[in-house]
Amino acid sequence: MEETDARIGTTPRIHLTYYGWEDDWAASEATRDDLADNRLPLVNWEPFDVDFDDIIDGSLDSTIEKQADGAKELGKPFFLDFAAEMNEEEGWGGHDPERYVAAYRHIHDVFDRRGASNVVWVWAPNVTDSPDAPATMAYYPGDRYVDWTGVDGYNWGTSEPDFEWQSFPDRFRDIYGKLAGKGKPIIIGETGSDETGGSKAEWIQGIIPSLKEEFPLIKALVWFDVDKERHWQINSSPETLAAYRRMAADPYLNP
């Protein structure tokens, strides 16, 4: 964390971490350190190998209750993003919106009953739907169950023949219109750009003007600073790092 802060010249307010179904994310060192250092944890809770029908019928309530009690014990607000990107590759609940919504609501209700009112509930689909799968908003759990809507989306560059370079506004414009209709603050839970096919530095430079002019309900974004499918890192080139440092210091991202 300290190395990243030094690299970009500021301290990010949000830290994204990933946990499996039974991982005790409330007790994890990362979560505790984030809250102690005045960062907001963004807990991405991934229910791999979990039958959503077992969530719905209460069979897994002991695990959910344990997580809820741990969340309450933290005593501070944090983001909880359960089963993100349900409309795309992960296909949580078997790409069945009714099953997904029922599971999401059940978990939310258990947390409510256990008094975990400090949880800020995030619902974050992928920026695009899987082919032949239901459309994004079919998975929306409902206004009472969502505090922030969200979205994960990347510019994948042109390193594969069928891929096109997409600017930041081009990538998010379509889904923004759908999410904005809910009138809730929006978080980009994951984003990044490849270096191949255009200027990643210019891509980054376009983020804040786009937020101001086109996407005013987007109130937070998280950069996926990992060398994974593409070179997403903030320091994938000197030009990229310089652009990121300028963006990170902008008052718009530091209210």
Side-chain angles (χ1 to χ4, degrees):
M1 298 291 289
E2 292 80 7
E3 291 177 1
T4 299
D5 292 353
R7 184 177 295 127
I8 65 177
T10 189
T11 300
R13 290 295 311 280
I14 299 173
H15 180 207
L16 168 62
T17 49
Y18 298 86
Y19 298 92
W21 173 250
E22 294 189 358
D23 292 340
D24 192 351
W25 36 263
S28 76
E29 184 178 359
T31 301
R32 301 284 174 150
D33 286 350
D34 284 341
L35 292 173
D37 294 338
N38 200 33
R39 287 187 300 270
L40 281 167
L42 171 55
V43 173
N44 192 310
W45 191 11
E46 300 182 310
F48 286 111
D49 301 320
V50 174
D51 187 331
F52 272 38
D53 289 335
D54 290 340
I55 297 176
I56 296 165
D57 68 15
S59 299
L60 300 178
D61 277 4
S62 60
T63 297
I64 302 169
E65 290 169 354
K66 179 182 176 181
Q67 301 284 29
D69 292 345
K72 179 182 178 181
E73 192 271 334
L74 289 173
K76 294 181 179 180
F78 69 94
F79 291 112
L80 180 57
D81 186 0
F82 172 72
E85 300 186 20
M86 74 302 298
N87 61 322
E88 227 276 340
E89 182 178 348
E90 301 299 353
W92 308 112
H95 275 309
D96 182 335
E98 184 176 349
R99 181 182 290 118
Y100 175 87
V101 168
Y104 191 106
R105 289 179 175 180
H106 182 81
I107 291 172
H108 188 288
D109 289 344
V110 171
F111 272 63
D112 276 356
R113 290 197 300 269
R114 307 294 285 197
S117 58
N118 55 313
V119 174
V120 180
W121 291 89
V122 175
W123 175 75
N126 194 281
V127 72
T128 54
D129 300 326
S130 285
D132 303 319
T136 301
M137 300 310 294
Y139 298 90
Y140 183 64
D143 291 347
R144 189 170 77 82
Y145 293 90
V146 175
D147 298 312
W148 286 53
T149 58
V151 58
D152 297 346
Y154 297 81
N155 169 36
W156 290 80
T158 60
S159 55
E160 294 185 29
D162 295 336
F163 283 53
E164 296 181 355
W165 183 269
Q166 294 179 299
S167 69
F168 180 85
D170 286 346
R171 196 70 183 114
F172 290 101
R173 186 175 290 117
D174 180 63
I175 198 168
Y176 178 82
K178 300 171 184 176
L179 299 177
K182 298 301 177 182
K184 296 179 179 288
I186 300 169
I187 181 171
I188 297 180
E190 296 179 15
T191 195
S193 175
D194 192 19
E195 292 276 3
T196 304
S199 170
K200 183 174 176 177
E202 291 182 5
W203 198 90
I204 293 170
Q205 289 169 9
I207 290 177
I208 291 179
S210 298
L211 295 178
K212 291 179 177 178
E213 297 165 12
E214 291 194 57
F215 309 135
L217 284 177
I218 295 178
K219 302 299 184 182
L221 65 86
V222 177
W223 190 276
F224 192 70
D225 184 29
V226 179
D227 188 9
K228 196 181 175 190
E229 306 93 346
R230 300 288 191 276
H231 299 303
W232 307 124
Q233 316 97 294
I234 57 179
N235 61 336
S236 54
S237 71
E239 297 79 12
T240 291
L241 179 57
Y244 195 96
R245 286 178 63 90
R246 288 191 296 270
M247 180 183 71
D250 193 287
Y252 192 78
L253 295 185
N254 298 276

